[in-house]
Amino acid sequence: MSRTPHTVTVAELVPGDLLALSARDADVDRWYVVMHTLPVRPEAIRVTLRPPLGGADRDEELDRTRTVTVGDHRVDTAGIPLLTSANLRAVDFRDGDRVDFLRTVDPHAVEDTYVRRRGGWSHDTPGDRADSRADRRAGNRADDRPEPPLSDAELRKQAAEAVDHVVRHHPRRARPATSRTGGPRRVVVTGLGAVTPLGVGVDDLWAGLLEGRCGIRELDGEEFAGLPVRIAGTVSVDPAALLPRPQARRMNRAAQFAVLAAREAWRDAGFDPAGTTESRLAPERVGVSAGAILGDASVLVGGDRRLREKGPRGVSPLTTPMTVPSQAASQVSLALRITGEARTVTSACASGTEAIGEAVDRIRYGRIDVALAGGAEAVVTPAIMASFAAMRALSTHGLGDGESPSRPFARDRDGFVNGEGAGFLLLEAEEHARARGARIYCEAAGWGLSADAHHMAAPDPSGTGVALALRRALADAGAEAADVVHVNAHATATADGDLAEARALKSVLGGCRVPVTALKGHLGHLQGAAGGVEAVATVLTLHHGIVPPTIGCAEQDPAIELDVVTKAPRPLPARGDVALSNSFGFGGHNAVLALRRARG
């Protein structure tokens, strides 16, 4: 609306005029639209006024000869809504609610939005909002420091005193109810399993995380001699020694990890180790969903070496079935006689998280009732190490300075540390788990995917792709940013990747200070298995109410504006109920899992 001011008498006013009752009102952008005029006495006219962005009408009885200020164009009165402010005194606020303040007398006003997070009201993405018109006229900029949150009482008082404003309350979205008639079902986690550089089993993983132990080791095999980087997060135990010999001979190393972790999750959920039938499950209602990038590259490399050294007769017939990335999923299904499905997801370092998300949907929509989902990888091989080193993607920090070579979010981070292992969740439909009296760790509430479409190896530095996956995971879980109580970050300790993730988290979570931890200082980067193992740790964080520390981050990069937990474990905040587990891979693959605290 144009508001080049000029003066007229009240007698000249017509409906549609944009009116300031005084020169002072025009200076402070207090305008009204003339809705009606009605002569009430020879010397006076009653003028009905409404704010140009909508609001309640007010009547003014004005002397006909009085001079007022109007804009130079009239307004369509039919397009101006009649609005009233919400009565906040009667509202029972919840985290995730929004309250908008709109100064409706200013035609160019922007809504000022507050979001309730952990019992306090914060500006929604305060750094992204335009400065006020008064600040712009004065040449000032908003202070970058976040404002302290308002209490419920302070917000109600601010709303009551908001002259010339319309105040609107937007309750948070209701979560969809569980449907027994074909609609989406809630999915819960009832079992956990892991094989990691911290040991074989979930107990070793959790104890090592809380104690701040580092599982990264020197690669002392002669095949690694001469490589520019010879450290990795390796599993110190031979997995083949923990399996029956005839089975182990037919599995690659990644599949061995997968079977050990999946069996642990299966037993942890209370099922019979012998398999589905012995657990009184219909085998066709159980599935496997495993993430892997390569699985185990050493089998193919070894087959090629034997071909060159001994000819075709020297190549094992098991080379091909032991090379394919799908071997982990197939071996888990064989070990437990699971016939519902055995799927493999390959999406770089996001593979494990995406595999869990796919399994969540398969259970939600009734395709299966139970699933083992996670990731397994064994790519600590000379060629892979040399390739990563040639990309300058690996950390050059050594093991001798008392810090982990993998340094997520640290000022001196310089690359990731390659690793191996497996992590699996046992997922069930909630009604299925409750019917058998299972112990429930948490709800697998939602997940989100996106693609950067930026570069074959480098992340989009803006973090917009990551932010999209975060928002989709929250939306899929029926959650708001205010519900997030913890983030298990992907944070590989690369300069650009950690910064992009931090920017995305700040964009999505706004001013909400959420405790963030990253596990790659303990484990290295487990590639396609990272999402599975980090999901296990996130489940345990929710279940035990303790956030493990991030090791390797002796001095946090000041550009990383996150609340990174370091030095010692921290109690999980009481408010909020959602934890996010992030995984991002080469080529711009982004996957985020949203987990929710178990209900009573």
Side-chain angles (χ1 to χ4, degrees):
M1 300 174 189
S2 176
R3 298 200 310 277
T4 302
H6 61 278
T7 57
V8 299
T9 64
V10 169
E12 297 176 273
L13 291 176
V14 296
D17 277 339
L18 191 62
L19 166 68
L21 289 170
S22 68
R24 170 63 180 161
D25 281 356
D27 287 342
V28 297
D29 291 316
R30 184 177 291 116
W31 298 85
Y32 297 92
V33 176
V34 176
M35 305 298 289
H36 305 286
T37 61
L38 179 67
V40 290
R41 294 193 309 278
E43 69 279 7
I45 297 175
R46 180 181 298 137
V47 182
T48 301
L49 304 174
R50 186 178 298 175
L53 298 184
D57 288 344
R58 59 182 283 186
D59 288 336
E60 291 280 348
E61 194 169 301
L62 305 174
D63 190 286
R64 272 176 191 275
T65 61
R66 174 175 169 175
T67 300
V68 293
T69 302
V70 297
D72 66 351
H73 284 83
R74 292 195 174 96
V75 177
D76 180 8
T77 57
I80 302 174
L82 187 63
L83 302 174
T84 56
S85 289
N87 178 10
L88 299 187
R89 288 176 297 179
V91 175
D92 184 14
F93 292 127
R94 299 170 58 211
D95 281 356
D97 285 5
R98 290 191 302 113
V99 170
D100 295 330
F101 290 77
L102 180 61
R103 189 169 181 264
T104 53
V105 295
D106 180 355
H108 293 275
V110 177
E111 276 189 329
D112 200 15
T113 300
Y114 285 82
V115 179
R116 194 175 191 266
R117 300 183 176 101
R118 293 175 175 76
W121 292 89
S122 302
H123 268 116
D124 188 21
T125 56
D128 296 336
R129 292 197 169 273
D131 300 331
S132 71
R133 293 171 61 81
D135 283 340
R136 289 202 301 271
R137 284 197 301 270
N140 299 327
R141 293 207 42 96
D143 193 332
D144 288 337
R145 291 172 298 179
E147 300 175 17
L150 302 176
S151 67
D152 289 347
E154 288 170 330
L155 185 84
R156 288 189 173 100
K157 181 180 178 185
Q158 183 167 309
E161 295 174 351
V163 178
D164 296 333
H165 287 69
V166 166
V167 180
R168 290 181 284 188
H169 171 241
H170 304 276
R172 64 167 297 158
R173 294 173 306 207
R175 288 177 57 204
T178 301
S179 171
R180 296 180 180 274
T181 59
R185 303 185 293 180
R186 287 199 179 107
V187 181
V188 296
V189 180
T190 57
L192 303 172
V195 178
T196 76
L198 290 174
V200 176
V202 168
D203 289 345
D204 283 352
L205 169 65
W206 187 238
L209 295 179
L210 295 181
E211 293 166 9
R213 284 194 272 116
C214 178
I216 296 169
R217 301 173 177 85
E218 188 83 25
L219 298 172
D220 54 8
E222 64 179 39
E223 69 271 26
F224 296 104
L227 292 181
V229 176
R230 294 187 300 279
I231 56 169
T234 55
V235 176
S236 60
V237 177
D238 179 7
L242 304 177
L243 294 165
R245 181 176 172 80
Q247 295 177 20
R249 288 181 63 250
R250 289 170 171 77
M251 298 183 204
N252 64 33
R253 185 174 173 87
Q256 292 167 359
F257 291 153
V259 169
L260 290 171
R263 279 181 167 171
E264 182 185 18
W266 185 263
R267 292 192 303 271
D268 188 42
F271 293 126
D272 191 309
T276 51
T277 303
E278 293 79 1
S279 302
R280 298 184 179 180
L281 296 172
E284 69 276 9
R285 299 296 300 169
V286 184
V288 180
S289 184
I293 303 175
L294 296 175
D296 184 352
S298 66
V299 177
L300 185 60
V301 172
D304 182 69
R305 183 184 302 117
R306 283 187 287 274
L307 175 65
R308 286 185 278 107
E309 292 174 351
K310 300 181 179 180
R313 291 182 179 273
V315 179
S316 167
L318 296 176
T319 300
T320 297
M322 288 176 62
T323 295
V324 293
S326 59
Q327 222 226 358
S330 66
Q331 288 294 335
V332 171
S333 72
L334 282 166
L336 296 168
R337 296 200 291 276
I338 294 169
T339 64
E341 55 191 41
R343 63 175 55 234
T344 299
V345 175
T346 300
S347 53
C349 309
S351 300
T353 297
E354 187 172 341
I356 295 170
E358 293 284 0
V360 168
D361 276 355
R362 299 296 286 174
I363 295 171
R364 268 181 178 169
Y365 297 105
R367 305 298 190 267
I368 53 177
D369 299 318
V370 178
L372 282 161
E377 202 81 76
V379 291
V380 182
T381 65
I384 297 296
M385 293 291 294
S387 172
F388 282 146
M391 294 171 63
R392 299 183 179 179
L394 295 180
S395 173
T396 59
H397 293 301
L399 288 166
D401 62 359
E403 287 288 337
S404 171
S406 176
R407 301 181 177 180
F409 297 133
R411 184 192 288 271
D412 61 347
R413 67 189 185 277
D414 69 343
F416 70 84
V417 172
N418 195 19
E420 64 178 7
F424 276 79
L425 309 183
L426 194 292
L427 302 172
E428 288 185 69
E430 182 184 37
E431 58 198 45
H432 187 278
R434 293 197 183 279
R436 68 182 186 88
R439 179 263 330 277
I440 293 175
Y441 282 106
C442 67
E443 179 187 352
W447 65 299
L449 295 178
S450 71
D452 280 356
H454 174 73
H455 188 273
M456 67 177 294
D460 182 345
S462 72
T464 53
V466 170
L468 177 59
L470 289 164
R471 290 191 178 97
R472 284 177 168 170
L474 289 173
D476 192 44
E480 303 285 345
D483 301 322
V484 178
V485 71
H486 169 60
V487 176
N488 190 300
H490 182 63
T492 61
T494 59
D496 294 337
D498 287 13
L499 189 55
E501 183 174 11
R503 285 170 176 156
L505 286 168
K506 186 179 180 185
S507 169
V508 173
L509 300 181
C512 192
R513 295 287 287 175
V514 174
V516 175
T517 196
L519 307 185
K520 291 179 176 65
H522 301 80
L523 306 170
H525 187 355
L526 307 191
Q527 309 298 326
V533 170
E534 289 162 10
V536 169
T538 310
V539 170
L540 290 169
T541 296
L542 280 178
H543 181 65
H544 293 295
I546 301 173
V547 180
T550 300
I551 67 170
C553 186
E555 183 181 358
Q556 185 172 327
D557 182 348
I560 303 291
E561 299 180 64
L562 300 175
D563 181 13
V564 180
V565 178
T566 59
K567 296 188 173 87
R570 186 192 299 178
L572 196 68
R575 288 184 177 272
D577 64 353
V578 170
L580 302 176
S581 183
N582 297 345
S583 295
F584 316 122
F586 282 164
H589 300 278
N590 304 313
V592 177
L593 180 66
L595 302 166
R596 181 177 278 114
R597 292 190 215 245
R599 301 177 300 155

